[in-house]
Amino acid sequence: MEMETAVGKMSKHERRIHAKRIKSQKTLFRHENIVCCDSQTEHLVVANGGLGNDIEREELWTIFSLYGQISDIVMKPRKPYAFVSFHTAKEAKDAVDGVHGKTLQCPGELSRPNVTFYLSYIEKIPDVKPYSNSNLLPPGLVIVNNFISEAAEQEFLDFISCNQGSGIDESLKHRYVKHFGYRFMYTTNDVDREDPLNEKIPGECLGVLNHLLDKNLISRLPDQLTVNQYKPGQGIPPHIDTHSAFEDEIIVLSLGSQIVMDFVHPDGCHVPVLLPSRSVAILTGESRYLWTHGITPRKSDVVTASELGEGVTGEQRLTLLKRGTRTSFTFRTVRRMPCDCNYHNQCDSQRNFSTKKDGAKKQLVDPVLPASDEDALKLESLHVHQVYEKIAHHFSDTRHSPWPQVVSFLQELPDNVLIGDIGCGNGKYLNVVPNRFMIGCDRSINLCEICYTRGHSVVVCDGLLLPFHDEVFDAVICIAVIHHLCTKERRLRALEEISRILRPNGKALIYVWAMEQEKNGIRSKYLKNCHNDDKKEPTETRNQSNSDISSSLAVEMPVHTNRTSFKSQDLLVPWHARSDKRTSKAQREALSNCVSTTNEEHLKSPLTVDENSALTAGCDACVDVLHKEEVETNPSELGKTFHRYYHVFQSGELEYLCSLVSSLTVVKSYYDQGNWCVVVERKGKEEESR
C-alpha cells in the first residue's frame, strides 16, 4: 500500500491502519521530537516493534532482512517503537509494502500473537545514549563468566531438585528459598548464630569454593548458603545484605538462566549488570556495603547486543533477553563481631550513633514501626489524617501546578473515559484534561471541601476500602498517597484496591516519594528549592525524636530535616503552618450531600452519577462519623510545626510491590523529580484466570 494514498480513497480497513500510523507518529514526536516525513527514505520507525512491546532484536532482523540489507536497528528501553535503517530507500519501501498494517504470523515471524507493525519514514535514526557498560561495574564487584562447566551446572540443579522439600526451605511469595549452615530470618534480616542448621553447606559446593580460594577471589570459606529459585517474572527487592549479619565477600553463583541484577548507589546512579548462567559474582567493599542490589520482577531484560556477543553495529544497540528459571547459590560468612565498615549510613551496627565534633557518640533515632494494624492506623491518624485536616488550606496553596508527566498520562487516555483520582488532595488533576470524567477521593474532609467549592466530584473515604464497585474505572491515578501508609501490608492493600476498581486492561499511574533525591548526579527539585524559611527550622525539631510527638504510640520515628537527603525510609517530615484559613459550616453541610465513606454496609447501595456528585453509595451518617475525627484549626496553632509520616521508596521497591498484586502488570516505571513512578495495567480476564 502506498503510504501517500489519499485518505478519501481508502477503505475502512485502510483508514483504520492510517489512523494507527498517525497516532504512532504523534507518540514518536512527543517522546523523541522526531517528525515523520512523506517522502521515501532508507530509515523507518516501527511502531509496536519496540522493547516495550517485548519484541526482540532478532525478530526484527528476521522480518526486515527479507526486504534488503539492514544497516542498523535501534531499540530503546521501554519504548513501543524501534528504528530500522536499510542501505537504500527502495529496500525501505519494499519493507513498508510488505509489513505495514499487516498482522504478523505467530509462530513463524513473532513469538507472540496478534501483533501489527505500523511503519513511517524518518530522515535519520536518533543517536543512542549509552545504556550500560559491563566494564563499569560498582567498585568491588567482580564477575567471572563460565566459571563452571555445563555438566557441573546440571549437577548443581539436580542436587537442588532432589533436596526440595527437605530440611529448612520455604516458598516465599516471590521465590523458592532453601538455607544451609544458618537460616536467614527475613523478619529480622539476621541469622540466629546460636541455632545453626543440621544441614551444612553441601560437599558438592566445596570444589567451587576452593577454586575461588585458589584464584584469590575470596579470602575465606563461607559458612552459610542460601539457594533462591526465580521463575520468569519473579525477583527480589533492592537491598543491602545486613552488615551486622554477614562479613565482607558475598558470592553469587548463577545457574539455569541469565538475569540482570540492578545495582543502585545512594546518589541514584543505576548500573544494570548481566549475570550469565554459570557465572559467579563476588561483592566486596563498596558494592557489598554501599550499593543496593536487586532483581526487578519481569519476564525479560533489556541488554546491549554486545553483552550477548552478537555481531551488530554499535556497542550500545539494545535487545531483549527473555528469562528462564534461574537458581542462585549465595554464599556468605556469618559475622561474629559488630561491623566496623566505613559506610556508616548503611551500617546497622553503627547507624544508631553519629560522631560529634569532639569525637563522642550521639544517639540517633532508628525507626520502630507499628507492630499491629491497629497501631499503624493510630500512627496514620495522628501523623497523616489529622495533620492534613489542620494544614489543608495552606497545603492547597502550595499545590497548584499539575506535574507534566501526570497530565501526559491523562492526555493519552481516550475521550469520555471514567478516571478515579485516589488521594486527590485539592483536586489539581481533576478536569485538568478536557473530555475526561474524573472522580476524586481523599481521606481529608477539608481537602475535599476545597475540591467541592471548585466544582469537582469528590468522595471522602479511606484508600484501603474504596466505596466503588469492582471494575468501574477505565483508569486511575494515585499521586503521592501510598507513601503515607506505614506498613508494607497496608501499602499492598492500597494497590489491591486500585486493581479492584480498575476495569480489565485499565491502567493506573502511581507516584511515591523516592529515597534517592539525587539521580545520576542531578539533585531533585526538593533538594534544589532550599528556601530560607526551610533553613530556619527550629533546632529542637531537627534533633528531637518523635517520642514527644507521638508518645501515645509504641513507635519511634526520626524527624527529617527539610530539604536534605533522606537518612531513613520511615520518618516524620515537618510542615510549618503559616496561615489560618478555616472552612465554613455551610461548606461542610453542602459537602455532606455528595460524599460517602467506607462503611461496608453501604458499599452494596446503587451507584449513581450526576453532574454534582461522584459515584457514591450515599449515606449522611458516614459523613458524621468522619466529622467527629476532624481537627479544627485554631489561632494558637499558627506557626506551629506539624509532622507527617512518610515511607520513602527505594529504587525498584514500588515495582516489586506492584508485582505482588497478581492482577496487575507493570507496564512502565520511571523517576520523576524525586519520585518513583509506575504505570500498571489490570490484567484481562483470560490472563487473570491462568
Side-chain angles (χ1 to χ4, degrees):
M1 182 187 72
E2 293 291 333
M3 295 178 69
E4 60 270 15
T5 303
V7 176
K9 297 180 181 180
M10 293 180 181
S11 66
K12 183 177 180 180
H13 176 66
E14 290 172 333
R15 285 198 298 271
R16 185 181 298 112
I17 293 174
H18 179 74
K20 293 279 189 180
R21 183 167 63 86
I22 295 300
K23 183 178 179 181
S24 70
Q25 292 176 354
K26 291 180 179 178
T27 299
L28 181 67
F29 179 76
R30 186 168 61 251
H31 288 198
E32 307 283 348
N33 201 29
I34 294 177
V35 178
C36 297
C37 52
D38 295 329
S39 59
Q40 297 172 11
T41 71
E42 62 269 36
H43 309 297
L44 299 174
V45 58
V46 184
N48 281 357
L51 296 173
N53 307 102
D54 288 337
I55 304 298
E56 297 181 37
R57 168 181 292 274
E58 288 184 5
E59 292 175 317
L60 291 182
W61 197 278
T62 300
I63 292 169
F64 286 100
S65 62
L66 298 175
Y67 301 97
Q69 187 173 356
I70 297 173
S71 58
D72 203 358
I73 294 178
V74 173
M75 308 180 80
K76 293 194 170 186
R78 299 179 295 277
K79 297 298 183 183
Y81 47 77
F83 303 93
V84 178
S85 182
F86 288 90
H87 274 221
T88 68
K90 182 182 182 306
E91 292 172 330
K93 180 182 181 302
D94 291 342
V96 170
D97 293 341
V99 177
H100 174 65
K102 298 177 182 177
T103 302
L104 298 166
Q105 296 179 2
C106 174
E109 295 176 305
L110 286 179
S111 59
R112 49 179 298 194
N114 303 320
V115 175
T116 303
F117 289 166
Y118 301 97
L119 277 57
S120 300
Y121 295 109
I122 56 176
E123 290 293 339
K124 65 176 184 177
I125 60 176
D127 295 331
V128 180
K129 296 180 180 179
Y131 177 68
S132 69
N133 190 327
S134 57
N135 295 322
L136 298 178
L137 298 176
L141 175 63
V142 175
I143 308 292
V144 183
N145 293 331
N146 300 314
F147 191 75
I148 63 172
S149 66
E150 293 183 6
E153 176 186 39
Q154 191 57 52
E155 289 178 5
F156 275 108
L157 294 175
D158 291 343
F159 168 78
I160 286 300
S161 177
C162 292
N163 281 272
Q164 283 191 5
S166 65
I168 301 297
D169 60 356
E170 52 192 308
S171 292
L172 302 182
K173 190 166 185 178
H174 48 286
R175 66 191 189 279
Y176 164 83
V177 178
K178 184 175 180 65
H179 304 287
F180 297 88
Y182 294 86
R183 181 177 185 176
F184 184 75
M185 299 175 292
Y186 294 96
T187 54
T188 60
N189 289 328
D190 203 352
V191 294
D192 188 349
R193 295 160 182 80
E194 306 303 321
D195 187 22
L197 301 176
N198 292 327
E199 284 190 287
K200 307 305 178 184
I201 293 180
E204 289 82 353
C205 301
L206 293 180
V208 170
L209 297 175
N210 284 321
H211 192 31
L212 289 168
L213 274 173
D214 293 342
K215 288 183 170 292
N216 294 320
L217 292 172
I218 60 175
S219 61
R220 65 174 74 87
L221 283 176
D223 57 8
Q224 195 273 341
L225 166 63
T226 298
V227 178
N228 290 280
Q229 191 171 80
Y230 304 87
K231 294 182 179 179
Q234 295 179 329
I236 186 171
H239 65 282
I240 298 174
D241 287 52
T242 312
H243 288 209
S244 63
F246 301 110
E247 296 280 0
D248 204 357
E249 296 180 352
I250 296 174
I251 307 153
V252 181
L253 178 65
S254 296
L255 305 171
S257 176
Q258 79 292 323
I259 203 83
V260 167
M261 182 172 283
D262 296 297
F263 285 81
V264 180
H265 190 275
D267 67 6
C269 178
H270 171 219
V271 178
V273 177
L274 177 65
L275 302 182
S277 179
R278 299 187 289 114
S279 70
V280 64
I282 304 155
L283 287 71
T284 61
E286 186 173 313
S287 66
R288 181 267 184 268
Y289 289 122
L290 183 62
W291 293 62
T292 64
H293 60 278
I295 298 172
T296 303
R298 55 192 175 214
K299 295 185 178 180
S300 57
D301 292 305
V302 176
V303 299
T304 61
S306 60
E307 289 180 286
L308 302 182
E310 296 181 2
V312 300
T313 303
E315 294 182 356
Q316 292 298 332
R317 296 308 188 245
L318 303 182
T319 188
L320 206 65
L321 190 60
K322 293 186 177 178
R323 293 180 181 177
T325 299
R326 172 181 177 264
T327 302
S328 68
F329 281 55
T330 302
F331 300 92
R332 296 172 287 202
T333 301
V334 173
R335 187 183 292 278
R336 307 295 174 178
M337 299 292 290
C339 179
D340 59 353
C341 68
N342 295 324
Y343 307 97
H344 301 167
N345 288 338
Q346 286 72 32
C347 184
D348 60 309
S349 293
Q350 303 176 67
R351 70 187 176 194
N352 290 329
F353 297 90
S354 67
T355 304
K356 296 181 179 180
K357 292 182 179 180
D358 59 4
K361 297 287 186 179
K362 178 185 70 174
Q363 182 74 37
L364 296 179
V365 180
D366 211 26
V368 177
L369 298 175
S372 66
D373 199 61
E374 181 181 2
D375 286 343
L377 182 58
K378 288 179 181 178
L379 175 61
E380 291 166 15
S381 175
L382 183 62
H383 288 300
V384 181
H385 307 157
Q386 294 182 30
V387 171
Y388 277 103
E389 293 295 6
K390 293 178 180 180
I391 69 172
H393 289 279
H394 182 197
F395 176 82
S396 177
D397 290 342
T398 67
R399 300 299 190 270
H400 45 76
S401 299
W403 295 346
Q405 297 221 47
V406 179
V407 175
S408 177
F409 172 82
L410 296 173
Q411 289 174 333
E412 291 177 359
L413 297 172
D415 289 348
N416 304 316
V417 293
L418 183 61
I419 305 169
D421 186 349
I422 310 304
C424 63
N426 66 349
K428 70 178 182 179
Y429 294 110
L430 299 176
N431 302 330
V432 71
V433 178
N435 302 320
R436 313 286 191 274
F437 189 86
M438 294 193 67
I439 297 170
C441 65
D442 202 281
R443 182 59 180 73
S444 166
I445 293 178
N446 287 337
L447 286 172
C448 283
E449 286 179 338
I450 293 171
C451 295
Y452 179 69
T453 58
R454 294 175 178 178
H456 300 314
S457 298
V458 289
V459 183
V460 176
C461 66
D462 189 326
L464 301 187
L465 192 58
L466 297 170
F468 305 119
H469 284 306
D470 295 352
E471 302 178 3
V472 70
F473 288 106
D474 299 292
V476 166
I477 61 173
C478 182
I479 311 302
V481 175
I482 293 177
H483 54 217
H484 285 308
L485 299 172
C486 62
T487 66
K488 175 183 174 182
E489 292 72 23
R490 293 173 68 79
R491 294 188 284 271
L492 186 60
R493 279 161 55 190
L495 291 173
E496 290 170 342
E497 273 295 270
I498 289 173
S499 176
R500 181 185 66 79
I501 63 175
L502 265 178
R503 290 175 179 160
N505 303 120
K507 292 183 179 179
L509 174 64
I510 302 165
Y511 269 56
V512 294
W513 212 358
M515 178 92 173
E516 302 85 352
Q517 289 298 306
E518 288 190 29
K519 187 169 174 62
N520 297 328
I522 300 175
R523 304 174 75 196
S524 69
K525 288 183 179 179
Y526 175 72
L527 294 184
K528 287 179 180 178
N529 297 338
C530 187
H531 303 303
N532 289 333
D533 22 12
D534 290 311
K535 295 179 181 179
K536 294 178 182 178
E537 185 182 338
T539 303
E540 63 270 20
T541 302
R542 290 177 182 267
N543 297 329
Q544 65 184 342
S545 76
N546 74 315
S547 58
D548 57 335
I549 300 171
S550 54
S551 57
S552 61
L553 302 177
V555 299
E556 292 184 20
M557 207 70 60
V559 176
H560 178 59
T561 300
N562 278 333
R563 306 297 177 183
T564 65
S565 298
F566 295 117
K567 305 300 183 186
S568 170
Q569 279 195 268
D570 297 277
L571 37 75
L572 298 176
V573 177
W575 180 279
H576 308 297
R578 296 175 187 165
S579 62
D580 179 25
K581 296 184 178 181
R582 288 195 268 179
T583 55
S584 67
K585 182 178 179 181
Q587 286 176 318
R588 187 174 296 108
E589 290 176 349
L591 180 65
S592 67
N593 294 323
C594 77
V595 299
S596 99
T597 67
T598 61
N599 194 330
E600 293 187 17
E601 66 182 77
H602 304 122
L603 294 181
K604 297 180 182 179
S605 303
L607 293 177
T608 60
V609 180
D610 60 50
E611 61 183 4
N612 294 317
S613 67
L615 286 177
T616 68
C619 175
D620 291 339
C622 294
V623 178
D624 292 337
V625 172
L626 283 176
H627 275 241
K628 291 179 181 179
E629 295 184 13
E630 180 181 359
V631 182
E632 293 284 353
T633 305
N634 59 69
S636 65
E637 292 172 340
L638 293 179
K640 185 176 179 179
T641 298
F642 300 97
H643 294 84
R644 297 172 294 163
Y645 167 80
Y646 282 88
H647 171 85
V648 290
F649 280 64
Q650 290 186 329
S651 172
E653 183 181 352
L654 181 57
E655 295 95 315
Y656 171 73
L657 198 64
C658 292
S659 74
L660 300 182
V661 182
S662 59
S663 55
L664 292 179
T665 299
V666 177
V667 176
K668 176 183 178 183
S669 61
Y670 58 95
Y671 179 87
D672 184 16
Q673 280 299 335
N675 298 278
W676 291 115
C677 326
V678 297
V679 176
V680 295
E681 182 176 311
R682 170 77 183 269
K683 294 179 182 177
K685 291 294 186 182
E686 293 183 1
E687 193 173 1
E688 281 191 47
S689 62
R690 291 175 187 170

